[in-house]
Amino acid sequence: MQAAQNRDDDSPEACGNLQQTLDALYDLYRRCDSSTLGQTIVAAIPKAIACDSAAFVRIEPTVGSFTLTSWPIDRFEGIDHNDAVALHVRDHPLVAHFSTRRDARAWSLHDFVAPSTFRRTRLYRKYYRPLGIEFQLVMLVPYPDRALRALVLNRRDRAFSEGDRCTLQWLWPHLAQAVRISRAAGRQRGLPDLEGSSGNRAVMVLDRDGRAELCTEQARVWLTRYCGDGMPRQQFRSLPEPLASWVAEILDNEMQKSRGIADPPAPLAVRRGDAYLAMRFVADHARGQHLLLMEEVAMNTPPDLLLGLGLTPREAEVLAWIAQGKTNRETGLILGMSPRTVQKHLERVFDKLGVESRTSAILKAWQVSRFEDMGARGRTRSQYPTQPDPIRPSSRR
């Protein structure tokens, strides 16, 4: 009898409307995509548990990385993330709880602090009260890395019930399964695990006309850094140059191509100083959405350090990227030349350095970098422009 009673208490029927819960599960599994998983979760779960807003938060304490995906999509636009994170660390009791344990329970904010006490905190006065957040239900989302991911549900007028808590906990294994499916699907499509990256990758979702529907905070930061004005904080539908022209060209080619399987569009690389932002376009015409996958790469051995080896500026650039582990094709993409031209530059580099192989040339570059780390560099990096330097893919293969 007791076992039957426990089974009834833990069932989804006891936790709320079964049909709404099934609707949430349908959306969760139907849209398992690693690049948009956070947005899928925050849009699906409110169908099972009524709330005013929801957020999927990712925090990586070791590098200070913080990203937030919200429903409604613009609910927390304009918030100073650094300040909000600092106040959460100081004033939110669940931050301290999850820093020492990663359990699968759903917790209410007021499980740890009385409402009257929390309302006296700066976090409540500066953010929660203006946003209308009085009640909160939080649960960790399992993921196979060190970063913390939490699903946060917010309400203004009524507390979350034990039934709401039970429903969210019942959904925990389904969230875990959605994470596994999305990561497996990404690997099958040859896509990087952006959600599990340590901050050097980002994603943007475009509609069928090439306008931005979703932009992660890291993508917004990079586009601002590499593309001038970048993405305005309140309105990010229009893409900055040279990204807008590149996307428009790809979509135009997609419309004109035949039904045959075409090669994927070449990436776009935008360089600034000793680093570049690589962007890759992944089309999904069936869903009417396209992905922009972004990755930032910085050189360990800047080209100006290699000029002392007797190389020209162009040869120094080629060797710097080769020493970074780039292939001839990748180096050509970054520098706007064909792989054959890269090889010609390398042959001249070999001759000037007195080496016969790519490995020996790389070792020479690494030696220069090592002396730089020891404080032996006697020049500045003044030869590089401070404005973005868009590099379009070369038409030569």
Side-chain angles (χ1 to χ4, degrees), residues 31 33-34 76 78 106 113 138 198 203 238 256 261 266 279 310 314 327 333 350 370 385 387:
R31 299 172 180 172
D33 189 308
S34 59
F76 303 110
V113 62
V138 183
S198 58
V203 67
S238 300
Q256 296 181 19
I261 298 176
M279 289 172 275
R314 201 57 159 169
T327 64
L333 169 66
F350 295 166
R370 182 187 175 198
Q387 294 301 313

Side-chain angles (χ1 to χ4, degrees), residues 178-191:
V179 169
R180 287 193 290 269
I181 293 174
S182 66
R183 296 181 74 237
R187 288 192 296 268
Q188 290 176 357
R189 294 168 59 189
L191 302 181

Side-chain angles (χ1 to χ4, degrees), residues 156-195:
R156 177 196 295 270
D157 298 324
R158 61 190 177 95
F160 290 96
S161 67
E162 285 304 309
D164 295 328
R165 188 197 302 265
C166 178
T167 299
L168 191 55
Q169 292 178 168
W170 183 81
L171 288 169
W172 187 91
H174 295 279
L175 292 172
Q177 181 68 3
V179 169
R180 287 193 290 269
I181 293 174
S182 66
R183 296 181 74 237
R187 288 192 296 268
Q188 290 176 357
R189 294 168 59 189
L191 302 181
D193 184 12
L194 294 172
E195 181 56 36

Side-chain angles (χ1 to χ4, degrees), residues 34 57 67 80 92 96 107 111 134 172 182 195 211 218 220 250 275 300 308 310 328 348 368 375:
S34 59
V57 182
T67 57
D80 184 333
H92 202 297
W107 295 97
D111 288 336
E134 296 290 339
W172 187 91
S182 66
E195 181 56 36
R211 294 173 298 182
Q218 184 63 75
R220 194 192 304 273
I250 291 175
N300 296 324
N328 286 7
R348 288 193 288 270
V368 172

